[in-house]
């Protein structure tokens, strides 16, 4: 048999290796920005088209390259940053592997123009799929201007794997943010499809954060500072009330390099423990400075993972630093942990009873036929209760009442006659347990209703109906309100804006990341913080998008319902509980929350008797 092993040609080897370093346009953006930073630039321009698929260009005013280097930089393992293996343990630059440009050039068409300040003329190099196309002198500014066109053009499988422009843009924005936050001493301009979307001037960290996320972050942040012999920490944490339902705004930097570490995130989350609800995540922008010898950045090809020699020590320092700064800034742990901070002012006037929506149902509604609003998989608690047959749970409460609704139209209200029943024997019919469950006697025993899930179901169905019948009613605001979101939130809001409008919001873009709200769905208090309400919806969308694959509209409605529903921890009057139960059983699928979780359960009298044996 003849020899079969051959060395792969460089171009093929590069293409294979490229997959490891460049997964999507955002990875190329990261590498190019890092190179500009390593070159000592203090002004960097990032230009992308079509989510980076057709063009990624980075222009810097850094050191530039000589003619020879301009050609060499596309070779694998060509780096100016380390020369000996021992240098690996003392890395001060962002890059060091000498792989990025070789990888990028293997899978795209690259045009490089570069000049050092010592040279009179610059050099231009064109490379396609690792092959040098041309090289020659060219006039240009000192610094480097590199364009990456048609990424993955020669690796169709990878190109097909790319997501929509919006998704790729979001990834790029995330990389841009990380780098921009890490280096407030560098000014950045970011152009997307020929539009300048970010102009970030040099400044301090706080200015950089507000430049990226909006000036309302000014009041949200508290400084964190701590210095030990091995490690210094500084930066900001967001006050507990601004915690989010997703991990979006958690930024750790080690020696100015963004890193991901569940372990270190956990340290901060521990410091926030008992200050925020269990399912919320604190926001933070924390910088760790340590001797490069203490860390190993070489564990992951894209360099977002890092190893500390003494992780546990780092964990403790972070946790106590954050805790101390929360204490110092009077963020006392006296909040009501069960409550979500934003909900109280969302619901109508605090002293008014929670008024779950009028229970307006279609008179032709057939309670036995459920199509919409069903729990996922169409499950019902067969043999337990029959939606729409709520009154039959009660002895002698079968009437269906007809009343004239306040809008003049005739509506049918299905409801047990509570008033009469209350007078029956003067007994209370609803009890609240731990401000969380509603207990009520039913024919077969005791029904326990989760108040939050019940209200979510009620609101969900009402909004779905409103959309279906195009009957969402709005209330005009006396004073239109402006809200401001961060970049990612803005992208998401723009995607769902039609759905939000169909709910009764009159909302329009006003500049880059601002929106003006002229009207809100009837039933939301005018005093509500609309900023927080919209942020909450967007956040839920972000979260659901990851976890569930509902259609956009259902997601929006679910999010709004979740946002506005009465929460655990809220004391309800008997009347409120009764109205909520009424509304719940006018729903198509009262047994399940919009997320498919059980809303209620019945403990039968027999089960109870069993326990007393
Ligand atoms: P690494 O950054 O790991 O060294 P790269 O492939 O990213 O590897 O870059 C290879 C080399 O090209 C760098 O070490 C640097 O000398 C040079 N280089 C790349 N980008 C720039 C730039 N924007 N300005 C100056 N030199 C650059
Ligand atoms: Mg590099």
């Amino acid at each position: 048999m003849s020899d079969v092993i051959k060395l792969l040609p460089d171009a093929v080897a590069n293409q294979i290796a490229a997959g490891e370093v460049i997964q999507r346009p955002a990875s190329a953006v990261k590498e190019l920005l890092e190179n500009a930073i390593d070159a000592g630039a203090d002004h960097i321009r990032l230009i992308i088209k079509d989510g980076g698929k057709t063009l990624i260009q980075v222009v810097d005013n850094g050191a530039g390259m000589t003619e020879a280097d301009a050609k060499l930089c596309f070779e694998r393992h060509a780096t100016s940053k380390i020369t000996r293996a021992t240098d690996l343990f003392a890395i001060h630059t962002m890059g060091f592997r000498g792989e990025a440009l070789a990888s990028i050039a293997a899978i795209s068409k690259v045009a490089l123009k570069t000049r050092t300040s010592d040279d009179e003329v610059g050099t231009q190099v064109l490379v396609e799929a690792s092959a040098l196309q041309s090289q020659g002198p060219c006039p240009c500014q000192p610094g480097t201007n590199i364009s990456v066109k048609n990424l993955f053009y020669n690796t169709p499988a990878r190109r097909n794997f790319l997501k929509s422009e919006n998704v790729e843009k979001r990834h790029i924005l995330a990389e841009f943010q990380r780098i921009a936050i890490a280096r407030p001493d560098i000014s950045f301009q970011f152009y997307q499809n020929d539009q300048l979307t970010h102009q970030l001037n040099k400044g301090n960290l706080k200015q950089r954060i507000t430049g990226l996320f909006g000036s309302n972050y000014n009041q949200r942040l508290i400084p964190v500072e701590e210095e030990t012999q091995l490690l210094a920490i500084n930066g900001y944490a967001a006050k507990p009330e601004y915690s989010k339902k997703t991990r979006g705004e958690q930024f750790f930097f080690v020696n100015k390099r963004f890193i991901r570490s569940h372990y270190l995130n956990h340290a901060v989350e521990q410091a926030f423990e008992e200050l925020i609800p269990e399912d919320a995540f604190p926001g933070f922008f924390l910088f760790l400075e340590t001797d490069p010898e203490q860390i190993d950045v070489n564990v992951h090809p894209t360099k977002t993972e890092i190893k500390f020699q003494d992780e546990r020590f780092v964990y403790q320092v972070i946790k106590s630093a954050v805790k101390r700064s929360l204490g110092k800034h009077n963020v006392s742990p006296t909040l009501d942990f069960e409550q979500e901070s934003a909900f109280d002012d969302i619901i109508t006037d605090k002293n008014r009873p929670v008024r779950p929506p009028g229970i307006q149902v279609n008179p032709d509604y057939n309670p036995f036929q459920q199509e919409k609003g069903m729990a996922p998989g169409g499950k019902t608690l067969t043999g337990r209760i029959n939606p729409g047959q709520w009154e039959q749970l009660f002895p002698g409460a079968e009437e269906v009442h007809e009343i004239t609704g306040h809008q003049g139209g005739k509506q049918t209200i299905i409801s047990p006659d509570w008033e009469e029943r209350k007078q029956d024997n003067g007994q209370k019919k609803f009890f609240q347990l731990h401000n969380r469950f509603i207990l009520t006697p039913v024919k077969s025993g005791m029904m326990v209703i989760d108040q939050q899930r019940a209200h979510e179901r009620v609101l969900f169905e009402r909004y779905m109906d409103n959309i279906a019948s195009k009957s969402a009613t709005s209330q005009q605001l006396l004073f239109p309100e402006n809200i401001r979101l961060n970049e990612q939130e803005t992208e998401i809001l723009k995607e769902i804006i039609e759905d939000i409008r169909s709910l009764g919001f009159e909302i329009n873009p006003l500049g880059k990341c601002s929106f003006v709200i002229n009207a809100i769905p009837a039933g939301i208090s005018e005093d509500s913080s609309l900023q927080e309400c919209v942020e909450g919806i967007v956040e839920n969308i972000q979260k659901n998008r990851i976890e569930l694959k509902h259609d956009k509209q259902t997601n929006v409605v679910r999010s709004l319902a979740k946002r506005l529903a009465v929460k655990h921890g809220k004391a309800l009057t008997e009347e409120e509980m009764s109205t909520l139960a009424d509304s719940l059983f006018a729903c198509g699928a009262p047994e399940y929350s919009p997320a498919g979780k059980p809303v209620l359960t019945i403990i039968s009298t027999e089960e109870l008797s069993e326990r007393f044996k």
Side-chain angles (χ1 to χ4, degrees), residues 311-545:
E311 278 216 308
R312 257 192 287 167
F313 172 76
V314 178
Y315 184 100
Q316 285 308 331
V317 176
I318 293 173
K319 182 175 156 189
S320 65
V322 176
K323 245 195 160 130
R324 183 149 20 177
S325 100
L326 288 170
K328 209 157 64 189
H329 292 85
N330 272 336
V331 184
S332 66
T334 52
L335 301 172
D336 184 347
F337 309 138
E338 298 232 325
Q339 293 194 15
E340 192 189 79
S341 59
F343 93 88
D344 250 341
D345 39 17
I346 296 275
I347 298 175
T348 20
D349 185 329
K350 291 188 184 82
N351 302 319
R352 248 187 290 161
V354 188
R355 220 177 324 122
I359 354 159
Q360 310 167 12
V361 291
N362 174 357
D364 300 323
Y365 173 63
N366 176 352
F368 299 101
Q369 186 190 328
Q370 306 175 28
E371 333 99 81
K372 129 177 96 64
M374 279 280 284
K379 296 175 279 180
T380 56
L381 294 172
T382 342
R384 286 186 151 177
I385 62 155
N386 207 345
Q389 300 290 290
W390 159 241
E391 52 286 290
Q392 289 183 10
L393 291 165
F394 295 88
E398 286 91 8
E399 309 92 307
V400 170
H401 301 259
E402 267 200 349
I403 59 144
T404 303
H406 57 279
Q407 283 141 348
K410 201 169 108 190
Q411 301 154 2
T412 304
I413 297 226
I414 302 172
S415 106
D417 186 349
W418 299 114
E419 283 314 310
E420 249 170 55
R421 284 166 19 79
K422 259 182 243 161
Q423 282 157 16
D424 261 359
N425 42 17
Q427 268 176 11
K428 273 181 83 168
K429 288 284 180 266
F430 289 96
F431 306 86
Q432 200 183 16
L433 184 68
H434 298 319
N435 289 346
R436 176 177 184 140
F437 296 110
I438 299 170
L439 312 183
T440 186
V442 291
K443 227 190 219 166
S444 59
M446 175 173 70
M447 182 185 293
V448 184
I449 303 173
D450 180 307
Q451 65 187 45
Q452 179 174 341
R453 291 182 185 173
H455 199 202
E456 275 176 33
R457 163 56 62 190
V458 168
L459 294 175
F460 176 80
E461 292 204 8
R462 176 170 71 150
Y463 294 138
M464 285 306 258
D465 280 352
N466 284 350
I467 290 179
S469 59
K470 298 203 167 49
S471 65
T473 42
S474 306
Q475 55 194 98
Q476 291 294 320
L477 293 176
L478 217 45
F479 305 103
E481 198 174 315
N482 290 352
I483 59 162
R484 216 192 124 85
L485 301 175
N486 69 31
E487 251 75 48
Q488 272 137 339
E489 290 168 340
T490 302
E491 286 288 315
I492 293 174
L493 182 56
K494 282 186 177 156
E495 279 173 35
I496 58 171
I497 201 152
E498 280 312 319
D499 302 291
I500 291 210
R501 285 182 183 139
S502 65
L503 284 164
F505 280 99
E506 211 180 294
I507 181 166
N508 288 302
L510 183 81
K512 201 178 69 178
C513 286
S514 300
F515 294 84
V516 57
I517 301 181
N518 290 308
I520 54 178
I524 300 185
S525 160
E526 282 212 33
D527 307 330
S528 316
S529 160
L530 295 179
Q531 168 86 34
E532 280 165 20
C533 178
V534 174
E535 269 179 31
I537 293 175
V538 168
E539 224 177 273
N540 271 322
I541 295 285
Q542 223 170 343
K543 201 176 169 204
N544 287 340
R545 201 165 20 206

Side-chain angles (χ1 to χ4, degrees), residues 56 75 91 98 112 144 199 236 269 290 296 303 325 334 344 367-368 446 486 491 565 567 578 587 606 609:
I56 300 167
E75 298 293 324
I91 288 159
L112 169 74
T144 300
Q199 166 79 51
Y236 294 93
E269 281 159 20
T290 180
D296 175 9
K303 299 180 301 242
S325 100
T334 52
D344 250 341
F368 299 101
M446 175 173 70
N486 69 31
E491 286 288 315
K567 301 292 186 300
S578 143
C587 284
E606 292 87 74
S609 321

Side-chain angles (χ1 to χ4, degrees), residues 83-103:
T83 47
R84 293 161 303 186
T86 47
D87 289 351
L88 268 175
F89 299 100
I91 288 159
H92 293 274
T93 52
M94 308 292 287
F96 55 85
R97 296 159 62 103
E99 274 182 329
L101 290 185
S103 299

